[in-house]
Amino acid sequence: MSAVGPNARPTDQGDVPQRDVAFARSAPAYGRWVSWIVVLTLAANGLWLVATNPNFEWHVVLQWFTEGSVLKGLQVTLGLTVVSMVLGTLLGLLLAVWRLSENKLLSGVSALYIWFFRGTPLLVQLIFWYNLSTLFPTLSITVPWTDITFASWNTNDLITPLTAAIAGLALNEAAYMAEIIRAGLLSVDHGQVETTQAFGMSRSRALRRIIIPQAMRAIIPPTGNQLISMIKATSLVSVIAMGDLLYSVQAVYNRTFEIIPMLMVAVIWYLLITSILNVGQSAIERYYARGSKRTVVVNKRRASSDTALAAAPRLKEDV
């Protein structure tokens, strides 16, 4: 039997020299270490410049970071985000179902809505809702083309900065969530839909029990991105005098002229919120990806075992 090991040599029968894969070592990754050193050096230098620059006025940042008006603006930002995201997701789900419907009317209405709200800037939509009274001084429930009126309201009483902000953010978000949810629904194997039809399930029940739970794996990641974008998009409501986080810090630096430190207060709060949301998004993604991860692990183990068997040296017996 020929020798097998790290120092195996060719035998007289012309065997190819073989080495035990257990003694294999990867080549040193010098380039990786150099890149880490360069990046860490640049990052440390940048942090040092920011921390030691007196123009940032970090003592002012600490003074106003937990001040009452700033925290109140933070509450408004979080409240707008939650309400607008929930309303936008619910409306987006309805639009996505309509978009996939075989009913041409529903599909067309959904496509028109998505086209309009995705094609116009959010800032323009917010300003439009805030100034709706210039177009319609009163809002009424009437019979079309008649003078019969069931109820009427003054537009300025209904469209406050809060309602204009919620309407603008939620309606705009619904257009994007509709496309996200539609893509998630389309990612589900069509055989699942055929199975629900074979069992006589209604379309609404099939969506609720079978299709949507499977589509969540494709819906959650972009929805998390939309939620983070919504947090930052709420800063636009400051143009309609809505007292969010950015509006609160603007009100302060308009009095004190401490523009940079007050903006840093807003930046740090936005970074904290988005960081927490990133952690929550990762946890939800892991929850919905449990089944797929098991499949990936099994496939990797099978591939590793097949590779090891193919690379293992074969023992040859001398006759």
Side-chain angles (χ1 to χ4, degrees):
M1 184 178 293
S2 60
V4 177
N7 298 319
R9 300 191 180 194
T11 61
D12 295 338
Q13 286 77 16
D15 292 343
V16 178
Q18 300 175 7
R19 294 183 179 273
D20 194 340
V21 295
F23 293 90
R25 295 291 184 271
S26 60
Y30 296 114
R32 185 182 304 172
W33 285 105
V34 171
S35 62
W36 270 99
I37 293 173
V38 171
V39 171
L40 291 177
T41 301
L42 293 176
N45 183 61
L47 290 175
W48 175 257
L49 291 176
V50 172
T52 58
N53 190 337
N55 295 323
F56 281 98
E57 302 182 62
W58 292 110
H59 63 283
V60 178
V61 175
L62 293 176
Q63 175 186 351
W64 288 95
F65 189 71
T66 55
E67 199 271 336
S69 61
V70 174
L71 294 180
K72 184 177 180 180
L74 178 63
Q75 293 176 358
V76 172
T77 293
L78 294 176
L80 280 176
T81 300
V82 172
V83 173
S84 301
M85 197 67 195
V86 170
L87 295 177
T89 302
L90 294 176
L91 181 56
L93 175 60
L94 180 62
L95 291 170
V97 174
W98 284 5
R99 191 78 174 87
L100 296 174
S101 175
E102 296 179 356
N103 188 318
K104 298 299 182 182
L105 177 60
L106 296 180
S107 179
V109 170
S110 176
L112 182 63
Y113 180 98
I114 294 171
W115 167 78
F116 179 81
F117 282 94
R118 290 177 64 191
T120 54
L122 175 57
L123 182 60
V124 174
Q125 296 175 29
L126 289 171
I127 297 175
F128 176 85
W129 285 109
Y130 186 65
N131 294 280
L132 187 63
S133 61
T134 60
L135 293 175
F136 305 101
T138 59
L139 297 177
S140 306
I141 300 177
T142 61
V143 177
W145 300 294
T146 66
D147 295 331
I148 302 174
T149 301
F150 297 102
S152 179
W153 303 272
N154 186 358
T155 304
N156 284 327
D157 295 336
L158 292 179
I159 305 299
T160 63
L162 177 61
T163 55
I166 293 176
L169 293 172
L171 294 177
N172 180 266
E173 186 64 24
Y176 291 92
M177 286 304 303
E179 290 297 281
I180 291 173
I181 296 174
R182 184 173 72 91
L185 295 177
L186 290 175
S187 68
V188 178
D189 186 6
H190 187 67
Q192 300 286 335
V193 180
E194 295 176 347
T195 302
T196 60
Q197 294 174 350
F199 279 97
M201 298 179 65
S202 64
R203 181 174 175 82
S204 60
R205 187 178 182 186
L207 284 171
R208 187 173 63 254
R209 301 291 298 275
I210 305 297
I211 300 175
I212 292 179
Q214 295 185 60
M216 290 298 289
R217 188 180 302 166
I219 293 174
I220 287 297
T223 301
N225 294 333
Q226 284 298 116
L227 179 59
I228 293 173
S229 298
M230 176 65 75
I231 286 284
K232 296 178 290 185
T234 55
S235 62
L236 296 176
V237 303
S238 61
V239 300
I240 59 174
M242 186 65 196
D244 70 315
L245 177 60
L246 182 59
Y247 185 85
S248 299
V249 299
Q250 286 176 334
V252 173
Y253 71 63
N254 284 336
R255 299 194 313 266
T256 64
F257 301 101
E258 296 168 331
I259 299 176
I260 297 300
M262 294 309 303
L263 289 178
M264 289 304 300
V265 170
V267 166
I268 295 173
W269 271 120
Y270 282 124
L271 287 175
L272 286 175
I273 297 170
T274 54
S275 299
I276 295 173
L277 291 177
N278 281 328
V279 174
Q281 177 185 351
S282 300
I284 297 175
E285 287 181 10
R286 286 194 300 269
Y287 174 81
Y288 282 102
R290 289 175 300 175
S292 62
K293 285 187 175 181
R294 293 194 196 100
T295 304
V296 171
V297 170
V298 171
N299 292 337
K300 284 185 177 179
R301 289 177 178 174
R302 290 177 179 174
S304 299
S305 60
D306 293 343
T307 304
L309 290 174
R314 296 181 179 179
L315 298 178
K316 294 184 178 181
E317 295 182 358
D318 296 333
V319 180

